[in-house]
Amino acid sequence: MSKAKPRKRHQLRPTTIEPHRTAAAGSVIIRQGDTHVLCTASIASEVPRWLLDPQTGEPKRGWVTAEYNMMPGSTPDRKRRGPDSRGTEIQRLIGRVLRAAVDLDKMPGVAITCDCDVMLADGGTRTASITGAFVALSQAIAAARKAGLIKGNPIKGPVAAVSVGVVDGQIYTDLDYPLDVRAEVDMNVAMNHQGQFIEVQGTGEQGVFSREQLDELLDAATKGIRQLMKVQRKALS
Amino acid sequence: MSKAKPRKRHQLRPTTIEPHRTAAAGSVIIRQGDTHVLCTASIASEVPRWLLDPQTGEPKRGWVTAEYNMMPGSTPDRKRRGPDSRGTEIQRLIGRVLRAAVDLDKMPGVAITCDCDVMLADGGTRTASITGAFVALSQAIAAARKAGLIKGNPIKGPVAAVSVGVVDGQIYTDLDYPLDVRAEVDMNVAMNHQGQFIEVQGTGEQGVFSREQLDELLDAATKGIRQLMKVQRKALS
Amino acid sequence: MSKAKPRKRHQLRPTTIEPHRTAAAGSVIIRQGDTHVLCTASIASEVPRWLLDPQTGEPKRGWVTAEYNMMPGSTPDRKRRGPDSRGTEIQRLIGRVLRAAVDLDKMPGVAITCDCDVMLADGGTRTASITGAFVALSQAIAAARKAGLIKGNPIKGPVAAVSVGVVDGQIYTDLDYPLDVRAEVDMNVAMNHQGQFIEVQGTGEQGVFSREQLDELLDAATKGIRQLMKVQRKALS
Amino acid sequence: MSKAKPRKRHQLRPTTIEPHRTAAAGSVIIRQGDTHVLCTASIASEVPRWLLDPQTGEPKRGWVTAEYNMMPGSTPDRKRRGPDSRGTEIQRLIGRVLRAAVDLDKMPGVAITCDCDVMLADGGTRTASITGAFVALSQAIAAARKAGLIKGNPIKGPVAAVSVGVVDGQIYTDLDYPLDVRAEVDMNVAMNHQGQFIEVQGTGEQGVFSREQLDELLDAATKGIRQLMKVQRKALS
Amino acid sequence: MSKAKPRKRHQLRPTTIEPHRTAAAGSVIIRQGDTHVLCTASIASEVPRWLLDPQTGEPKRGWVTAEYNMMPGSTPDRKRRGPDSRGTEIQRLIGRVLRAAVDLDKMPGVAITCDCDVMLADGGTRTASITGAFVALSQAIAAARKAGLIKGNPIKGPVAAVSVGVVDGQIYTDLDYPLDVRAEVDMNVAMNHQGQFIEVQGTGEQGVFSREQLDELLDAATKGIRQLMKVQRKALS
Amino acid sequence: MSKAKPRKRHQLRPTTIEPHRTAAAGSVIIRQGDTHVLCTASIASEVPRWLLDPQTGEPKRGWVTAEYNMMPGSTPDRKRRGPDSRGTEIQRLIGRVLRAAVDLDKMPGVAITCDCDVMLADGGTRTASITGAFVALSQAIAAARKAGLIKGNPIKGPVAAVSVGVVDGQIYTDLDYPLDVRAEVDMNVAMNHQGQFIEVQGTGEQGVFSREQLDELLDAATKGIRQLMKVQRKALS
């Protein structure tokens, strides 16, 4: 699907995060090569019941969750609608990483859902979703602060994610689909702005990986994420 | 949601149909005021079994179907994912109208699914879906002809649709959401390029309509559709 | 399936609406040729929560809804049980038309469900359902008034529906199944007693229709509905 | 619901089995007091795949199955549509008893579904369903023989069922709903024409029953079933 | 599957009921030949809403329910997970019998779920489930009394169940799978300690049974259950 | 739930893997402290269709998959039956790791399902499932070789898994539930016998982790897995 120019092994695909008009409080399209994801962040108009303290009836904290969806036209073979087990696993990952970016105690009663709808899929959709959704989430939180729903600033700092992997024995950063299908090892890494890990998910279904490779993979991911955070900052400024 | 400038009663909202990059054979975004719909048309990679003649095993005709979906960020109150009865009804309508645009006998064994994903909803999403999906369908059929999947030209001519209605006793064309909620009568009309009707769906849940009003509504729809077909032609040229 | 005697093009099939014993507050079988529908109207024994004003806890208005179902024995090829998209669309139509017959503000807290179970299907099941369900609804409202659940008379007037269509280029009223499968255009029309339209649903999947044909179709429907209302009146007297 | 005249303890409610027009091969309404069930028997138009011998591709035997459904208007509180665990259990029972009435080897490749739709429920719906469905099944088998689908006569003899129970320490036959809710013990018995048992299902959720009571219950059931078989014979002659 | 030594026709398979460590309040494994069932009884940590009196908000009675499940490894052909109609019917039976063992009025607000997970299936799983689940239920009630959730003793006495059947015209007790598949008649009987019946479910899908056979079957069941109650007593002492 | 004696931070809980009688080809219970999992491995009795080469109709390779389930009695608050998103994610992980242990090309046409049913849950159920399921899988493969279904030895070597985590800033191995709920970082690691990684899943929902901590976590996991492989070897010898 992708006609990307020859990239160096650790060169990210060209990445942009641009605002996209929807009715949600936060809304961007992240394009990382031929992977395009619409990320929207919607604030619930009512306080969800389960955020309320059963004793006082007052909300004690907020919540951030995510949904991930491949749109029908995102793949050459039309993707059938509806939840599947892969999507379920991915949206749990996205939700966990986004929650690591915010202090939920500082946004009592505010529930934000980040929807990641993949418009074009060329590998790395889950990591692009994280990187883009953080921006949409930040926009939504800014809107909630403006509207007086949130008092302080619950954002602890940016989070972003990248995929790295081993293909033909070599380490690559930001795998597109052709690389991904050939990869012996596939690893998704999410980090914060202080270079700390939030999630490390390395899988070797078609191979295994040594401690040395793991170290190299983490080095590559760390560098890639640092660059992605620049794109995020630009989008948020 | 919409801050459209004061429109005249029979003035269409500003409408554009632009190609949008996805992996589908046909793909556009139609924007009609603040109603934005991503319309993609995907060609099935295998001949669906039910298109085969049980005797000969050969495909006798083709098929065109549609799916309609409101994306979570399309409404200020986040739209929950998943099928609902309104969507089911709408996608059956879209499918019927699109099939009226093609000669299914001229595309044996080719099944095309038109997906209409509403990115921003401000009224008239079903009619915008039809108008946009016809363009995506045309692109997909052109691609199928290029690939040799279809020999002749199965397209009989363009189809487009518009909503008209009665608000405060007056006839309006192309209702946005604020008009729609106030409308006594709501009518969706789909026509072909010869000014013939494919679908007329008039509903008076909050009112009823006389034969005279029906005539006026159809006049307004006919004019509106003629203009929308110009936008389609421009998009396809 | 049908052995109807040769009918004239605008002659209704023989139609009767007779009471049928069930446990519901209203209950009739409408027979329109070989289309037989059991229509029952059940009053909810508790006020549904969503009819209550969240502030006062008092019900502000009532509700009327419909369910449509083809029974397994209604077709020569046994109809499998369970909801399908066609049925969903039909029951939404029936509900809208029935609600146009009543002033929901005059029946606060009363929710009535009209069930239309097709016992024998020979075309025109949705319009027969509307015509029959109005009678069952009227019976249920009369029972609710007697029981003191409703004070005044919420019924604005009768509603009925008929199908009309174009077969071999000619206009027909009240299509049975053999006509329906050959029809180029199929239109369902629901009207009130003042000759005003509630719903007009014209579909030309196998053809299109001109403005002239549309006019003729509406004329035929208007006449057919007038006759059906006589049958309704007889059933209710 | 029921205003039955005072019955003797072992007197059956007035029972009729009458043909009812549907599109199914067999179709009756059984009325046992205020319990009314529409029983239809539909012959599958294609040989179900699982009835075929995987080696030869030829059908070896036939099949009879049942579905049980309470219609929405069958109870004063509207019965919601859709399968439930009680209905599942009942339709398994009906199917087993009906299969005991036929020699499945004598109807190779023929699959018959008996649908029991309760139109009015006043106790004993599952036993009335069995008694009525046998008649519909017989009609369908006669039709299949006439059509040449079945060669010999697969019917071994009639089957019928009745409920018996213990209420206030006394044995009753053919319990209506008011008796049923007060019953300590509830027993459903299905027999063939030779007085042999096909199913005995005795339940003492609100009580237990002694061997003596069990004997009395079976005596009562045997007598009741003999009378029901007279009604069946009359319906089939 | 089973290599049981030749048993006499009315000899029970070797039966043991042993405690098994889980987190539930009651937990045993019953082994009856090669039928092994894990029975656990869990006390709901909150009072279920439907046990509360709508007026006072106080619980009036308790509840006991059951779930039955075949584990994937219980059969040589792996059993697929998920509910099926056979399991639904069985768990309703188990629940009814267990409720006959307790006075629900004496355990207000306490809801106990008895889970019967078949680890190895060689016939008679439903009756073994009943016999084992009574022991787990007794353990759970003892725990609830100790914890002060229940004041008096709600247990009326033991309940147990056994299968009996007719194979090649002869009566057998405690059918294993090889006998079960050959059985003309299959009967499950549940009794209390006073020799009274709680449930009698006799089915003759591949045959019918006379009154004499029914009497013999009940005699055999009565004897079998008496022995099973000894095993229960031992397990509870 | 657990009253484990004070463990050192990197001391595994007492772990045993014992055969357990079921009808599956492989079957063990792994007990790791108070986490007990029944692992069974079932060989499909028919070659699944999707393992066949569409051209030749011959199977080209085999398949190993896993299902994970918490039994109702595994937790003090009864676990409701049925799939959930957490379980879906876990069984995908187990399946991937087990497939890394075998050469699927060496077992053409053989499909094995490994079921992991948690009988008692005290943290680390997914890693215990992996460690135990490998033993059950090995038993099943041995059985398949004995039965001639598999020619060579598809097992590449053992795989096992352990959880490690950061609690109060300190690294722990094999977290039980009380540790798990307090953990800032939770990591599951699966390795092969050569000390290579198959899966590394580190999550910091309640915290983040530095590169140094990640290194320590991996060291701890490596040591723990080596010990677990000794338990596996003993179980398989």
Side-chain angles (χ1 to χ4, degrees):
Chain A
M1 176 171 32
S2 144
K3 294 197 177 181
K5 298 150 208 163
R7 274 195 292 149
K8 294 188 186 150
R9 283 200 291 113
H10 293 299
Q11 191 184 347
L12 289 184
R13 291 177 286 177
T15 303
T16 60
I17 302 176
E18 282 169 13
H20 184 86
R21 176 96 189 282
T22 67
S27 187
V28 300
I29 292 184
I30 179 169
R31 289 184 176 82
Q32 196 158 352
D34 285 349
T35 287
H36 302 178
V37 187
L38 171 62
C39 304
T40 57
S42 300
I43 304 169
S45 61
E46 292 187 19
V47 177
R49 194 182 300 188
W50 58 270
L51 280 182
L52 301 180
D53 186 311
Q55 252 84 52
T56 65
E58 289 300 302
K60 289 189 304 187
R61 58 201 299 249
W63 193 245
V64 172
T65 191
E67 295 197 5
Y68 169 94
N69 177 50
M70 302 264 288
M71 293 184 73
S74 64
T75 51
D77 259 354
R78 180 178 177 271
K79 178 74 176 54
R80 290 180 66 169
R81 292 177 194 275
D84 57 19
S85 59
R86 175 184 166 273
T88 299
E89 183 173 328
I90 291 175
Q91 69 193 19
R92 285 166 55 89
L93 164 68
I94 300 171
R96 283 196 305 269
V97 175
L98 292 178
R99 282 190 292 275
V102 290
D103 185 341
L104 296 169
D105 293 331
K106 289 195 180 163
M107 45 187 278
V110 175
I112 298 178
T113 303
C114 294
D115 287 282
C116 301
D117 285 87
V118 179
M119 303 181 82
L120 185 60
D122 186 33
T125 61
R126 80 188 70 187
T127 47
S129 293
I130 289 170
T131 306
F134 172 74
V135 177
L137 174 62
S138 299
Q139 293 173 341
I141 284 176
R145 295 178 67 186
K146 216 168 173 179
L149 293 170
I150 298 177
K151 295 292 142 55
N153 183 7
I155 295 182
K156 297 195 270 188
V159 296
V162 81
S163 77
V164 288
V166 181
V167 183
D168 299 334
Q170 286 196 300
I171 308 292
Y172 280 78
T173 304
D174 190 18
L175 283 67
D176 55 20
Y177 184 74
L179 283 174
D180 192 53
V181 291
R182 287 166 49 210
E184 294 105 52
V185 177
D186 179 27
M187 181 171 277
N188 295 295
V189 179
M191 301 181 86
N192 70 6
H193 60 301
Q194 296 171 309
Q196 287 169 310
F197 297 104
I198 302 166
E199 286 263 345
V200 173
Q201 293 203 342
T203 296
E205 189 165 336
Q206 301 179 49
V208 291
F209 48 108
S210 65
R211 185 67 176 265
E212 290 69 36
Q213 286 176 310
L214 177 54
D215 281 337
E216 281 186 68
L217 287 163
L218 294 172
D219 288 342
T222 305
K223 279 178 204 153
I225 286 172
R226 235 177 258 148
Q227 293 175 57
L228 289 168
M229 285 189 173
K230 284 186 199 160
V231 183
Q232 287 179 325
R233 265 197 300 276
K234 203 176 136 197
L236 281 169
S237 65
Chain B
M1 176 171 34
S2 140
K3 294 197 177 180
K5 297 150 209 163
R7 276 194 291 148
K8 294 188 186 151
R9 281 199 292 113
H10 294 299
Q11 193 184 346
L12 291 184
R13 292 176 284 177
T15 303
T16 59
I17 302 176
E18 283 169 12
H20 183 86
R21 175 99 189 281
T22 68
S27 187
V28 301
I29 292 184
I30 180 169
R31 289 185 175 81
Q32 196 156 352
D34 285 348
T35 287
H36 301 176
V37 186
L38 171 62
C39 303
T40 57
S42 300
I43 304 169
S45 61
E46 293 187 18
V47 177
R49 193 183 298 188
W50 59 271
L51 279 182
L52 301 180
D53 186 312
Q55 253 82 52
T56 64
E58 290 299 303
K60 288 190 306 186
R61 58 203 298 251
W63 194 245
V64 172
T65 191
E67 295 196 6
Y68 169 93
N69 176 50
M70 302 265 288
M71 293 184 71
S74 63
T75 50
D77 258 354
R78 180 179 178 271
K79 177 73 175 56
R80 291 180 65 166
R81 292 176 193 274
D84 57 21
S85 59
R86 175 184 166 272
T88 299
E89 184 174 328
I90 291 175
Q91 69 192 20
R92 284 166 56 88
L93 165 67
I94 300 171
R96 282 196 306 269
V97 175
L98 293 177
R99 284 190 291 276
V102 291
D103 184 341
L104 296 170
D105 292 330
K106 289 195 179 160
M107 42 186 280
V110 175
I112 300 179
T113 303
C114 295
D115 288 283
C116 302
D117 285 87
V118 179
M119 302 181 83
L120 184 60
D122 186 33
T125 60
R126 79 187 72 187
T127 48
S129 293
I130 288 170
T131 306
F134 172 74
V135 177
L137 174 62
S138 299
Q139 293 173 339
I141 284 176
R145 294 178 68 186
K146 217 169 174 178
L149 293 171
I150 298 177
K151 294 294 141 55
N153 183 5
I155 294 183
K156 296 195 273 187
V159 296
V162 79
S163 77
V164 287
V166 182
V167 183
D168 299 334
Q170 286 195 300
I171 310 292
Y172 281 79
T173 303
D174 190 18
L175 284 65
D176 56 19
Y177 184 73
L179 282 174
D180 193 53
V181 291
R182 287 166 49 209
E184 294 105 52
V185 177
D186 179 28
M187 180 172 278
N188 296 293
V189 179
M191 301 181 88
N192 70 7
H193 60 301
Q194 297 172 311
Q196 288 169 309
F197 296 104
I198 302 166
E199 286 263 347
V200 174
Q201 293 202 343
T203 296
E205 189 166 334
Q206 302 179 47
V208 291
F209 48 109
S210 65
R211 186 68 175 266
E212 291 68 39
Q213 285 177 311
L214 176 56
D215 282 335
E216 281 186 69
L217 288 163
L218 294 172
D219 288 341
T222 305
K223 280 179 204 151
I225 287 172
R226 237 177 256 149
Q227 293 175 57
L228 290 168
M229 286 190 173
K230 285 186 199 159
V231 182
Q232 288 180 322
R233 266 197 300 277
K234 204 176 134 196
L236 281 168
S237 67
Chain C
M1 178 171 32
S2 142
K3 294 196 176 182
K5 298 151 208 162
R7 273 194 292 148
K8 296 192 185 146
R9 282 199 290 114
H10 292 300
Q11 192 184 346
L12 290 185
R13 292 177 285 178
T15 303
T16 60
I17 302 176
E18 283 170 11
H20 183 86
R21 176 99 190 281
T22 67
S27 187
V28 300
I29 292 185
I30 180 168
R31 288 184 175 83
Q32 196 157 353
D34 285 349
T35 286
H36 301 177
V37 186
L38 171 62
C39 303
T40 56
S42 300
I43 304 169
S45 61
E46 292 186 19
V47 177
R49 192 183 298 189
W50 58 271
L51 281 181
L52 301 180
D53 185 311
Q55 253 83 52
T56 65
E58 290 300 303
K60 288 189 305 185
R61 58 201 297 250
W63 193 244
V64 172
T65 191
E67 296 197 3
Y68 169 93
N69 177 49
M70 303 265 288
M71 294 184 70
S74 63
T75 51
D77 260 355
R78 179 179 178 271
K79 177 73 174 56
R80 292 180 65 167
R81 292 176 195 275
D84 57 19
S85 60
R86 175 185 166 272
T88 299
E89 184 174 328
I90 291 175
Q91 70 192 18
R92 285 167 55 89
L93 165 67
I94 301 171
R96 282 197 305 268
V97 175
L98 293 177
R99 283 190 292 276
V102 291
D103 184 341
L104 297 169
D105 292 331
K106 289 195 181 162
M107 42 186 280
V110 175
I112 299 179
T113 303
C114 294
D115 287 283
C116 301
D117 285 88
V118 180
M119 304 181 83
L120 184 60
D122 186 33
T125 60
R126 80 188 71 186
T127 48
S129 293
I130 288 170
T131 306
F134 171 73
V135 178
L137 175 62
S138 298
Q139 293 173 339
I141 284 176
R145 293 178 69 186
K146 217 168 171 178
L149 292 170
I150 298 177
K151 295 293 142 53
N153 183 6
I155 295 183
K156 296 195 271 188
V159 296
V162 79
S163 77
V164 287
V166 182
V167 183
D168 299 335
Q170 284 196 298
I171 309 292
Y172 281 77
T173 304
D174 190 17
L175 283 67
D176 56 20
Y177 184 74
L179 283 174
D180 191 54
V181 291
R182 286 166 51 209
E184 294 106 53
V185 177
D186 180 27
M187 180 172 278
N188 296 294
V189 179
M191 300 181 87
N192 70 7
H193 61 300
Q194 298 171 310
Q196 289 169 309
F197 296 104
I198 302 165
E199 287 263 346
V200 173
Q201 294 203 341
T203 297
E205 189 164 338
Q206 302 180 48
V208 291
F209 49 109
S210 66
R211 184 67 177 266
E212 290 69 38
Q213 285 177 310
L214 176 55
D215 282 336
E216 281 186 67
L217 288 163
L218 294 171
D219 288 342
T222 305
K223 279 178 203 154
I225 286 171
R226 238 176 256 149
Q227 293 175 57
L228 290 168
M229 285 190 173
K230 283 184 199 162
V231 184
Q232 287 180 323
R233 265 197 301 276
K234 205 177 133 196
L236 281 168
S237 67
Chain D
M1 176 172 35
S2 142
K3 294 198 176 178
K5 298 150 208 164
R7 275 195 291 147
K8 294 189 185 150
R9 281 200 291 113
H10 293 300
Q11 191 184 347
L12 290 185
R13 292 177 286 177
T15 303
T16 61
I17 302 177
E18 284 169 11
H20 183 86
R21 176 101 188 281
T22 68
S27 187
V28 300
I29 292 184
I30 181 169
R31 289 186 175 82
Q32 197 157 352
D34 285 349
T35 286
H36 301 177
V37 187
L38 171 63
C39 303
T40 57
S42 300
I43 304 169
S45 61
E46 293 187 19
V47 177
R49 194 183 299 189
W50 58 272
L51 281 182
L52 302 180
D53 185 312
Q55 253 84 51
T56 67
E58 291 299 302
K60 288 189 304 186
R61 58 200 301 249
W63 193 244
V64 172
T65 191
E67 295 196 5
Y68 169 94
N69 177 48
M70 302 263 288
M71 293 183 72
S74 63
T75 50
D77 257 356
R78 179 178 178 272
K79 176 76 174 54
R80 291 180 66 168
R81 292 175 193 276
D84 57 21
S85 59
R86 176 185 164 271
T88 299
E89 184 174 328
I90 291 175
Q91 69 192 19
R92 285 168 56 89
L93 165 67
I94 300 171
R96 282 196 307 267
V97 175
L98 293 177
R99 283 190 293 275
V102 291
D103 185 341
L104 297 169
D105 292 331
K106 290 196 179 160
M107 42 186 279
V110 175
I112 299 179
T113 303
C114 295
D115 287 283
C116 301
D117 284 88
V118 180
M119 302 181 83
L120 186 59
D122 186 33
T125 60
R126 79 187 71 188
T127 48
S129 293
I130 289 170
T131 305
F134 172 74
V135 177
L137 175 61
S138 300
Q139 294 173 339
I141 284 176
R145 293 179 68 186
K146 216 169 174 177
L149 293 170
I150 298 177
K151 295 292 141 56
N153 183 5
I155 295 183
K156 297 196 272 189
V159 297
V162 79
S163 76
V164 288
V166 182
V167 183
D168 298 335
Q170 286 196 297
I171 309 292
Y172 281 78
T173 303
D174 190 19
L175 284 66
D176 56 19
Y177 184 74
L179 282 174
D180 192 54
V181 290
R182 286 166 49 210
E184 294 106 53
V185 177
D186 179 28
M187 179 172 279
N188 296 295
V189 179
M191 301 180 88
N192 69 8
H193 60 301
Q194 297 171 309
Q196 288 170 308
F197 296 105
I198 302 165
E199 286 263 346
V200 173
Q201 293 204 344
T203 296
E205 189 164 336
Q206 302 179 47
V208 291
F209 48 109
S210 66
R211 185 68 175 266
E212 290 69 36
Q213 285 177 310
L214 175 56
D215 282 335
E216 280 186 68
L217 287 163
L218 293 172
D219 288 342
T222 305
K223 279 178 205 152
I225 286 172
R226 238 176 255 149
Q227 293 175 57
L228 290 168
M229 285 189 174
K230 283 185 200 159
V231 182
Q232 287 180 323
R233 267 197 299 277
K234 203 176 135 196
L236 282 169
S237 67
Chain E
M1 176 173 32
S2 142
K3 294 199 178 181
K5 297 150 209 163
R7 274 194 292 147
K8 296 191 185 145
R9 283 199 291 114
H10 292 299
Q11 192 183 346
L12 290 186
R13 292 177 285 177
T15 303
T16 60
I17 302 175
E18 283 169 12
H20 183 86
R21 175 97 189 282
T22 68
S27 188
V28 300
I29 292 183
I30 180 168
R31 289 185 175 82
Q32 195 157 353
D34 285 350
T35 286
H36 301 176
V37 187
L38 171 62
C39 303
T40 56
S42 300
I43 303 169
S45 61
E46 292 187 19
V47 177
R49 193 183 299 189
W50 58 271
L51 281 182
L52 301 181
D53 185 311
Q55 253 83 52
T56 65
E58 290 299 303
K60 289 189 304 187
R61 57 201 300 250
W63 194 244
V64 171
T65 192
E67 295 197 4
Y68 169 93
N69 177 49
M70 303 264 289
M71 294 183 72
S74 63
T75 51
D77 258 356
R78 180 178 176 272
K79 177 75 175 56
R80 290 180 65 167
R81 292 176 195 275
D84 56 21
S85 60
R86 175 184 165 270
T88 299
E89 185 174 327
I90 290 175
Q91 70 193 20
R92 285 167 55 88
L93 165 68
I94 301 171
R96 282 196 306 267
V97 175
L98 293 177
R99 283 189 293 275
V102 291
D103 184 342
L104 297 169
D105 292 331
K106 289 196 180 160
M107 44 187 278
V110 175
I112 299 179
T113 302
C114 295
D115 287 283
C116 302
D117 284 87
V118 179
M119 303 181 82
L120 185 59
D122 186 32
T125 60
R126 81 187 71 187
T127 48
S129 293
I130 289 170
T131 306
F134 172 73
V135 177
L137 175 62
S138 300
Q139 294 173 340
I141 285 176
R145 294 178 68 186
K146 216 169 174 178
L149 293 170
I150 298 177
K151 295 292 140 57
N153 183 5
I155 295 183
K156 297 195 271 188
V159 297
V162 80
S163 76
V164 288
V166 182
V167 183
D168 299 335
Q170 286 195 299
I171 309 292
Y172 281 78
T173 303
D174 190 18
L175 283 67
D176 57 19
Y177 184 73
L179 282 174
D180 192 54
V181 290
R182 287 166 50 211
E184 293 106 54
V185 177
D186 179 26
M187 181 172 278
N188 296 295
V189 179
M191 300 181 88
N192 70 7
H193 61 300
Q194 297 170 309
Q196 289 170 309
F197 296 104
I198 302 166
E199 286 263 347
V200 173
Q201 292 204 342
T203 295
E205 190 165 334
Q206 302 179 49
V208 291
F209 48 109
S210 66
R211 185 68 175 266
E212 290 69 37
Q213 286 178 309
L214 176 55
D215 282 336
E216 282 187 66
L217 287 163
L218 294 172
D219 288 342
T222 306
K223 278 179 205 152
I225 286 172
R226 237 176 257 147
Q227 293 175 56
L228 290 169
M229 285 190 174
K230 283 187 199 159
V231 183
Q232 286 180 325
R233 267 197 299 277
K234 205 176 134 195
L236 281 169
S237 67
Chain F
M1 175 171 35
S2 143
K3 294 198 176 180
K5 297 151 210 164
R7 276 195 290 146
K8 294 189 186 151
R9 282 200 291 115
H10 292 299
Q11 191 183 347
L12 291 185
R13 291 176 287 177
T15 303
T16 59
I17 301 177
E18 283 169 13
H20 183 85
R21 175 99 188 282
T22 68
S27 187
V28 300
I29 292 184
I30 180 168
R31 288 185 176 81
Q32 196 157 352
D34 285 350
T35 285
H36 301 178
V37 187
L38 171 62
C39 303
T40 57
S42 299
I43 304 170
S45 61
E46 293 186 19
V47 177
R49 193 182 298 187
W50 58 270
L51 280 182
L52 301 179
D53 186 311
Q55 253 83 52
T56 65
E58 291 298 303
K60 289 190 303 188
R61 58 203 297 251
W63 193 245
V64 172
T65 190
E67 294 197 6
Y68 169 93
N69 178 48
M70 302 265 287
M71 294 183 71
S74 63
T75 50
D77 257 355
R78 180 179 176 271
K79 177 75 175 54
R80 291 181 65 168
R81 293 176 192 275
D84 57 19
S85 59
R86 175 184 167 272
T88 299
E89 184 173 328
I90 291 175
Q91 69 192 20
R92 285 167 56 88
L93 164 68
I94 300 171
R96 282 196 306 269
V97 175
L98 293 178
R99 283 191 292 277
V102 290
D103 185 341
L104 296 169
D105 292 331
K106 289 195 180 162
M107 44 186 279
V110 175
I112 299 178
T113 304
C114 295
D115 287 283
C116 302
D117 284 88
V118 179
M119 303 180 82
L120 185 60
D122 186 33
T125 61
R126 78 187 72 188
T127 48
S129 293
I130 289 170
T131 306
F134 172 73
V135 177
L137 174 61
S138 299
Q139 293 173 340
I141 284 176
R145 295 178 68 187
K146 216 170 175 178
L149 293 171
I150 297 177
K151 294 293 140 53
N153 183 5
I155 295 182
K156 297 196 272 189
V159 296
V162 79
S163 77
V164 288
V166 182
V167 183
D168 299 335
Q170 284 196 298
I171 310 292
Y172 281 78
T173 303
D174 190 18
L175 282 67
D176 56 19
Y177 184 73
L179 283 174
D180 191 53
V181 291
R182 287 167 48 209
E184 293 106 53
V185 177
D186 179 27
M187 182 172 276
N188 295 293
V189 179
M191 301 181 88
N192 69 7
H193 60 300
Q194 297 172 310
Q196 288 169 309
F197 296 104
I198 302 166
E199 285 264 345
V200 173
Q201 293 202 343
T203 296
E205 190 166 333
Q206 301 178 49
V208 291
F209 49 109
S210 65
R211 185 67 177 265
E212 290 69 36
Q213 285 177 310
L214 176 55
D215 282 336
E216 282 186 68
L217 287 163
L218 294 172
D219 288 342
T222 305
K223 277 179 206 152
I225 287 172
R226 237 177 256 148
Q227 294 175 58
L228 289 168
M229 285 190 174
K230 283 185 199 159
V231 184
Q232 287 180 323
R233 265 198 300 276
K234 205 176 135 198
L236 281 169
S237 67

